[in-house]
Amino acid sequence: MRAHALIAATLLFTWPVLASADVATTRVLQQSLQRLHNAQRSGPAIPPETLSKLQETLQMMTRDQVDPGLFQVDKAIFDARMAGLQAQRQRSHQQTSLHKLQEQVQSLSKQHQALQSEYARLRQQLASKTMTGAQTQHLQAEIQQQKQMLQAEEQHLANLAKQPQSTVSQAPSSSVSSSNAALPSYGKALTVYAQVRAASDGVHVSMPADSLFGSDNRLSQDGEQRLQAISRILKQSNAREILVRVAPQPLGANAATQRAESILRSLRRNGVPDQSLALATGSGLPAGSAELLLVNASPTS
């Protein structure tokens, strides 16, 4: 407002000259004054140095309006300075817009980083839940397998309980010394854990190999417990030698040998004298069976 008032005062001061100028020059001067006034009202504040130069140019135009040549030079200077003001404002606007865009980019980058972190956290949670679910399913499968084995064992014990204690499992006539041969006392105890029969070559203690081993061809926990119980009874026997035999496996002879060695090591760990333990071929045994042959064991002890 002060600048506008200064311009108006300048015009009043030079009014006599203004009155002597031609109408076209006066109109151009008035239009130039109006342009500066509009620039002050419509845009951001004009820098003091720029405003001072524009006002100085208007004063020159007012003074030189009686001289068309000088007036045109003054007007060209005024137009150039107004164009410079416009360009300056455009640059300022562009810088402001650029600054805003930069702020938006920074904000979006932060949001992107936050979303990436959240995505990684959710993936970790999903992986953890998936692993937990797999472990739960594995444990449930093991529990179900243990239940089935326990039920089979209970059924086997129930069947044994229905049989007379003096009953002797029969073998083919070529291998049995007597169809009515009685088992030794430890043999009767072994019937709780395996099928037992007395023959001319000794006492045969047979059991399914799958009842001792898991799917990974290692002794299962239930198999270890069964061999522990059998070991306690074997230590009371008078067998000179205990031969460990496993029937040939679908995976080959090596698998049968490895299983026999696992049984032998378990018996040794549970106190069966090492000098009485030995490995023997499993040929001739029923498929899927494991056997302990107590050689030279007295059938009546």
Side-chain angles (χ1 to χ4, degrees):
M1 295 298 293
R2 288 182 179 180
H4 188 60
L6 179 60
I7 295 171
T10 303
L11 290 177
L12 290 175
F13 182 76
T14 58
W15 180 253
V17 178
L18 183 65
S20 61
D22 62 90
V23 176
T25 302
T26 302
R27 185 179 301 109
V28 171
L29 180 59
Q30 291 176 343
Q31 291 174 351
S32 299
L33 285 168
Q34 188 63 40
R35 287 176 62 192
L36 178 58
H37 179 66
N38 293 339
Q40 288 180 298
R41 294 181 57 184
S42 61
I46 301 175
E49 183 179 358
T50 303
L51 179 61
S52 176
K53 290 181 178 180
L54 287 169
Q55 291 172 347
E56 179 183 352
T57 306
L58 284 174
Q59 290 175 358
M60 293 172 60
M61 291 173 64
T62 302
R63 184 186 65 236
D64 297 335
Q65 61 183 316
V66 294
D67 188 337
L70 291 178
F71 183 83
Q72 291 300 323
V73 172
D74 296 339
K75 180 179 181 302
I77 294 173
F78 179 80
D79 290 341
R81 287 179 174 174
M82 286 297 294
L85 173 63
Q86 184 66 22
Q88 184 179 13
R89 285 182 170 181
Q90 288 179 352
R91 286 195 301 270
S92 177
H93 177 71
Q94 290 174 352
Q95 290 177 353
T96 301
S97 300
L98 178 61
H99 181 68
K100 290 181 179 180
L101 288 175
Q102 290 174 341
E103 289 181 345
Q104 291 178 358
V105 170
Q106 292 177 354
S107 177
L108 291 174
S109 297
K110 291 180 179 179
Q111 292 179 11
H112 176 70
Q113 292 175 356
L115 289 174
Q116 288 282 62
S117 300
E118 181 67 12
Y119 174 71
R121 185 183 67 82
L122 292 175
R123 281 185 60 86
Q124 183 64 29
Q125 286 184 354
L126 178 60
S128 178
K129 290 181 179 179
T130 302
M131 183 178 297
T132 302
Q135 291 175 346
T136 301
Q137 291 179 355
H138 180 68
L139 289 175
Q140 289 176 346
E142 286 189 351
I143 291 172
Q144 185 63 26
Q145 183 180 9
Q146 292 293 334
K147 285 182 178 180
Q148 293 175 354
M149 293 177 63
L150 181 60
Q151 291 172 355
E153 187 67 20
E154 290 176 347
Q155 184 63 39
H156 176 64
L157 294 176
N159 293 336
L160 291 176
K162 296 177 182 179
Q163 300 176 2
Q165 291 294 323
S166 60
T167 301
V168 180
S169 300
Q170 299 298 316
S173 57
S174 59
S175 62
V176 179
S177 59
S178 173
S179 59
N180 297 320
L183 288 174
S185 58
Y186 67 83
K188 294 178 182 179
L190 287 171
T191 58
V192 177
Y193 305 101
Q195 293 181 354
V196 184
R197 62 182 176 87
S200 59
D201 55 351
V203 177
H204 296 252
V205 181
S206 302
M207 65 201 87
D210 289 343
S211 66
L212 301 175
F213 293 90
S215 58
D216 56 357
N217 216 30
R218 297 181 181 180
L219 284 172
S220 63
Q221 183 178 359
D222 192 61
E224 286 280 9
Q225 292 176 354
R226 178 177 292 200
L227 290 175
Q228 287 177 6
I230 291 175
S231 297
R232 288 194 295 268
I233 299 172
L234 292 180
K235 287 187 290 185
Q236 301 174 9
S237 71
N238 60 348
R240 179 177 61 83
E241 190 174 22
I242 301 175
L243 300 180
V244 182
R245 310 171 63 199
V246 175
Q249 301 295 301
L251 298 178
N254 287 336
T257 302
Q258 290 175 2
R259 285 189 166 192
E261 289 176 347
S262 298
I263 295 173
L264 186 145
R265 286 194 296 268
S266 178
L267 297 176
R268 182 186 299 152
R269 285 196 304 269
N270 289 290
V272 177
D274 186 49
Q275 62 273 16
S276 64
L277 293 171
L279 295 177
T281 178
S283 60
L285 291 178
S289 64
E291 181 183 86
L292 304 176
L293 175 58
L294 282 61
V295 181
N296 292 337
S298 172
T300 59
S301 60

